[in-house]
Structures are given as C-alpha cells and as structure tokens.
Amino acid sequence: MADDQVLEPTDEIEVAPERVLPDHPVLRVIAEKVEAVEWKLSSGQDVFVVPKEAVREVAQAARDAGFEMLSDLTVVDYYKQRSPRFELVINLLSQQHAVRVRIISPVPVDDVEVPSVVSVYPGANFYEREAFDLFGLVFDGHPDLTRILMPDDWEGHPLRKDYGVGSIPVQFKGAHQVK
C-alpha cells in the first residue's frame, strides 16, 4: 500500500483473534509448545481443547512440564445433542506444581481413531481399553487394544447412547418362579 493511500471505511483488515493463554506458568508452557491447544476455564478448572490428532503431543508436553499422573480417561457421548458426537476426556495431575488440567478432544462418529497416550502415561492402558470396549473409540498405537469388560464375541459398544437396551430374565435361587 502506498504511503499516501488512505483506507476507506468500507475496507476491512482481518485481524486474527488473540489466542488466550492460561495464567499458570506450567499450563502456559504447554499451551505455547503446542499450537493446537485452546485453553479455557470450565467451572473453575483449566481445560485444554485439542484436535484428536494432537492428543499424544499435548500429553507428552504435559508430561515434560511435570504432570506425573493421568488420573482418568473417559469418553462422553453427546448422541443427538452435539456434533462431533464424542469427546475424549483426559484428566492429568501435577503433584509437584499442585495443578490439574483436563484435556478434551472432540471425536466424530465417522472417524473414531485417536492416538494412544499409553506410551506417555502407561496407566492409560486399561482406561483406553475400556473406552474402546464400551464406546468404540480406537486408540492408534495401543499395545493391546482388546475388550476388557465385555466378552470377546460381544457385538457393539454398550455405553453408546444408541445401543439397544435389552433384558435377559434372571432366575435367582430361592425366588418364586417367573412364568
């Protein structure tokens, strides 16, 4: 643009919104290290929202920053309420820094493959198997992604909200006979 050129009021300059970073210095290091991290507060708790492809990278950055413990990994099914349908939720704890962080990653129903964090947090092994077994998320790079609660020949994923609920009559010893 020439020095003497003046922008008309109808001309717009696109300004990227400023990325919000956490106040806590340890969380700020993680957010600065991984560009894909979006930080927010939810009910007073620090939350990183990341694309599913960046889950392992964020977990590794958290581990490097001093988050020693994965305290939970689960899935939320927002069937007919939100898109994408699933959210992978990982809760991490740093005892040395006395801080917690929740990692949330949206997962669409038509692409349920997510990077495994077992190589970063070995304790995630059984949590990921449970999420696979009950919700159908597939953890890429998991050392033994097999069912953990349901029989191997079970069809479907029972904690999905669209999973059909059935009933099997059970006869208890000493109870009156059901006819």
Side-chain angles (χ1 to χ4, degrees):
M1 177 191 305
D3 291 335
D4 61 341
Q5 187 177 1
V6 178
L7 290 176
E8 296 297 322
T10 58
D11 293 340
E12 293 183 25
I13 299 174
E14 289 188 34
V15 178
E18 188 174 325
R19 187 170 173 220
V20 179
L21 295 173
D23 293 330
H24 195 285
V26 176
L27 296 175
R28 182 176 286 268
V29 166
I30 298 166
E32 288 173 342
K33 187 173 184 180
V34 183
E35 186 67 29
V37 168
E38 177 190 322
W39 172 80
K40 67 179 183 177
L41 278 176
S42 175
S43 301
Q45 296 180 345
D46 292 293
V47 177
F48 287 149
V49 180
V50 301
K52 66 185 186 108
E53 298 80 16
V55 167
R56 186 181 297 129
E57 181 184 5
V58 173
Q60 186 62 60
R63 181 68 175 213
D64 295 343
F67 282 83
E68 310 95 350
M69 184 175 166
L70 179 140
S71 59
D72 191 30
L73 182 151
T74 192
V75 179
V76 179
D77 183 356
Y78 289 106
Y79 180 63
K80 292 187 177 181
Q81 294 176 9
R82 281 192 206 172
S83 183
R85 177 176 169 174
F86 299 110
E87 275 186 350
L88 174 65
V89 181
I90 301 173
N91 291 297
L92 302 177
L93 171 66
S94 172
Q95 294 175 327
Q96 64 179 314
H97 300 296
V99 65
R100 295 176 183 269
V101 68
R102 182 180 334 134
I103 299 170
I104 295 177
S105 184
V107 180
V109 71
D110 59 346
D111 184 14
V112 293
E113 192 167 312
V114 180
S116 172
V117 297
V118 171
S119 61
V120 180
Y121 291 101
N125 186 332
F126 293 130
Y127 290 116
E128 287 183 0
R129 287 180 60 196
E130 181 178 58
F132 164 71
D133 192 4
L134 301 178
F135 289 97
L137 266 62
V138 177
F139 292 90
D140 182 43
H142 191 283
D144 181 29
L145 195 60
T146 56
R147 290 197 179 267
I148 190 168
L149 296 172
M150 305 305 291
D152 290 337
D153 60 346
W154 193 269
E155 292 183 26
H157 306 284
L159 287 186
R160 284 188 174 194
K161 291 187 177 177
D162 59 348
Y163 185 80
V165 179
S167 65
I168 300 171
V170 177
Q171 184 64 50
F172 293 98
K173 183 178 174 183
H176 67 280
Q177 294 295 318
V178 178
K179 297 181 185 183

